Amino acid sequence: MVIKRRNTISKEAVLSVLINSRRAMSQDAIVKQMDVNADRATVYRILNRFCQDEVVHKIVADDGKQYFAVCTKCDEKNIPQNHFHFRCIKCETIECLPASVEFSVPDKYQVRSMNCILIGVCKDCI
C-alpha cells in the first residue's frame, strides 16, 4: 500500500529554498531563508522525509554537520547515486561531483548508503 504524503506550506517553503540554492544547505541555513515560520523539528522531519522519498540527499560533512541538496543538479550532470561531495574551506560550499565511488566489501555485508566528502579549495576560490 502506497501512502501519499500530504503537501504543506512548510514543505513547499523548504523545497523552494533548496531548489533556489546553488549548493547543499544545513538545516539552520534553510530555516533562515524560509519565508514561512516553521520550527526546527518540523523542518528536520520534512528534510528526512524528502531524503526517504529521494527528493533530496543528505551529506554529512567532516564536521558532523548535515547538509541537504536537491537531486535535480545531479540529474543535469549525470551524477550517479553514489558520488563524491566536495566542501570548500574558503567559501564553505558543498557540491556534488560527477564521479561514482567504486568499492567492495567482504562477503555477507550489505551497504545501504554511503557518504564520501572531499575537503579543499573549489575551482571558484583558487
Side-chain angles (χ1 to χ4, degrees), residues 49-57 71 81:
R49 284 187 193 125
F50 283 166
C51 289
Q52 290 171 353
D53 295 343
E54 297 181 351
V55 174
V56 303
H57 61 275
C71 299
Q81 183 176 4

Side-chain angles (χ1 to χ4, degrees), residues 29-76:
I30 293 166
V31 169
K32 286 179 186 174
Q33 289 191 18
M34 288 175 57
D35 57 1
V36 296
N37 288 332
D39 61 55
R40 290 175 42 86
T42 299
V43 173
Y44 182 75
R45 280 192 303 275
I46 290 168
L47 290 168
N48 282 313
R49 284 187 193 125
F50 283 166
C51 289
Q52 290 171 353
D53 295 343
E54 297 181 351
V55 174
V56 303
H57 61 275
K58 184 186 322 186
I59 303 142
V60 180
D62 55 310
D63 60 1
K65 198 170 191 178
Q66 295 179 359
Y67 295 84
F68 300 87
V70 175
C71 299
T72 56
K73 291 179 183 178
C74 296
D75 293 342
E76 291 171 11

Side-chain angles (χ1 to χ4, degrees), residues 7-117:
N7 200 16
T8 65
I9 294 170
S10 296
K11 281 184 186 179
E12 289 178 14
V14 169
L15 189 57
S16 176
V17 168
L18 284 169
I19 287 172
N20 292 320
S21 174
R22 295 182 4 226
R23 58 190 172 113
M25 299 179 70
S26 67
Q27 176 185 351
D28 293 336
I30 293 166
V31 169
K32 286 179 186 174
Q33 289 191 18
M34 288 175 57
D35 57 1
V36 296
N37 288 332
D39 61 55
R40 290 175 42 86
T42 299
V43 173
Y44 182 75
R45 280 192 303 275
I46 290 168
L47 290 168
N48 282 313
R49 284 187 193 125
F50 283 166
C51 289
Q52 290 171 353
D53 295 343
E54 297 181 351
V55 174
V56 303
H57 61 275
K58 184 186 322 186
I59 303 142
V60 180
D62 55 310
D63 60 1
K65 198 170 191 178
Q66 295 179 359
Y67 295 84
F68 300 87
V70 175
C71 299
T72 56
K73 291 179 183 178
C74 296
D75 293 342
E76 291 171 11
K77 296 177 185 176
N78 289 330
I79 295 176
Q81 183 176 4
N82 293 326
H83 58 273
F84 284 99
H85 297 94
F86 189 91
R87 183 176 70 82
C88 179
I89 57 174
K90 286 192 176 183
C91 66
E92 298 184 8
T93 60
I94 295 180
E95 64 181 296
C96 300
L97 297 177
S100 63
V101 178
E102 302 291 331
F103 61 90
S104 64
V105 294
D107 290 340
K108 298 185 181 182
Y109 284 83
Q110 294 181 348
V111 176
R112 303 267 167 109
S113 67
M114 57 181 292
N115 184 48
C116 298
I117 188 156

